[in-house]
Amino acid sequence: MARGQPRRIHGCDGVHHLWMTTAAHGERNLCSSSFASRFGHYFETLLLWQSIIMIATMLAMLNLCTNVRVNAELNTKRRSFLDFDWNYFWSWSRFLDYVQCVAAFTLTAAYVTYVLLDSAVYVETLGFLAVFCEAMLGTPQLYCNYQNKSTEGMSVKMVLMWTSGDTFKTGYFLVTQAPVQFWTCGMLQVLVDFAILFQVFYYSFYPQKPVSHAASHTTSAKAL
């Protein structure tokens, strides 16, 4: 198919966003594949605007979260994106470092997409990874809750808003007969949301004391 020729809606819904969870501070920086995939297979402009608004919102949250964390770690050595230290990836000290990382990823993804724009395999893979990664956005929070044996510090209202939005979005995909990866990943995301809500209920009625690091270390020493 010639470059620039209209194509069917398929591949990516523009929902590969930055993500931040307050409890785990687990931000994601893969934010631009939705735009890259849009040029491979066009989708509704409404979904593109959804992606833009989400990215802007998450950047604002990331800025706030970074400022709070840095102020609480006055004696910690400052880390920078330009240090290229994988051990501290996405744990930098300035919001500017996150912007630099996002910009580098965006430019790289845009260039690779331009080169491989006529490759159906690349476009479909990029689109699937976008919707699949979004479906997994809640899993770091789910795992963090499991490790802590508690949902303390997590906003239940935020999770309820996630669940509502993901449910409506999945319903939209089903009604509009979107490609299978859209509603499949949408259902997966709703299941993750409900799993987090189940954790809220379970740990509220059956509180559990997490195993301390000292206890774990003692147990390991006895085993040796």
Side-chain angles (χ1 to χ4, degrees):
M1 184 175 292
R3 190 168 294 176
Q5 183 176 350
R7 307 182 182 192
R8 287 179 60 85
I9 298 169
H10 194 52
C12 177
D13 67 340
V15 287
H16 197 177
H17 315 305
L18 289 167
W19 176 76
M20 184 278 290
T21 174
T22 303
H25 194 65
E27 305 91 345
R28 294 182 182 271
N29 69 324
L30 304 180
C31 67
S32 61
S33 63
S34 57
F35 299 105
S37 182
R38 176 178 169 82
F39 291 102
H41 282 292
Y42 293 104
F43 51 86
E44 291 95 331
T45 303
L46 179 64
L47 296 177
L48 178 63
W49 278 110
Q50 176 207 15
S51 179
I52 294 174
I53 294 173
M54 279 296 298
I55 290 172
T57 303
M58 293 303 171
L59 282 173
M61 294 174 65
L62 179 58
N63 184 27
L64 175 61
C65 190
T66 303
N67 291 335
V68 171
R69 179 169 56 85
V70 170
N71 291 334
E73 300 175 352
L74 298 178
N75 297 326
T76 303
K77 181 180 178 181
R78 295 296 184 258
R79 303 292 177 179
S80 172
F81 167 67
L82 297 179
D83 291 338
F84 300 111
D85 188 345
W86 184 256
N87 293 325
Y88 294 95
F89 180 79
W90 211 250
S91 297
W92 303 306
S93 304
R94 302 177 305 164
F95 175 66
L96 179 61
D97 293 306
Y98 295 95
V99 174
Q100 291 173 342
C101 181
V102 170
F105 176 83
T106 302
L107 292 174
T108 302
Y111 176 76
V112 173
T113 301
Y114 176 78
V115 173
L116 300 177
L117 190 61
D118 293 324
S119 171
V121 174
Y122 171 77
V123 172
E124 296 300 326
T125 301
L126 181 66
F128 172 76
L129 288 177
V131 292
F132 179 75
C133 286
E134 194 214 3
M136 294 290 101
L137 291 183
T139 53
Q141 183 68 66
L142 182 69
Y143 181 68
C144 180
N145 294 341
Y146 172 76
Q147 279 191 316
N148 296 332
K149 305 299 181 184
S150 171
T151 57
E152 183 179 359
M154 185 193 72
S155 174
V156 179
K157 293 180 180 179
M158 177 186 69
V159 180
L160 288 173
M161 292 183 67
W162 284 355
T163 307
S164 300
D166 295 337
T167 302
F168 286 128
K169 180 179 63 180
T170 303
Y172 172 80
F173 291 153
L174 291 171
V175 170
T176 58
Q177 298 182 342
V180 63
Q181 65 263 39
F182 279 68
W183 56 263
T184 301
C185 290
M187 288 182 175
L188 179 60
Q189 191 167 7
V190 172
L191 288 176
V192 172
D193 295 338
F194 275 106
I196 296 176
L197 291 175
F198 174 77
Q199 286 181 324
V200 174
F201 168 80
Y202 183 80
Y203 292 132
S204 295
F205 286 90
Y206 305 98
Q208 301 181 32
K209 184 178 180 180
V211 179
S212 65
H213 294 290
S216 299
H217 180 73
T218 302
T219 303
S220 300
K222 289 181 178 179
L224 295 175

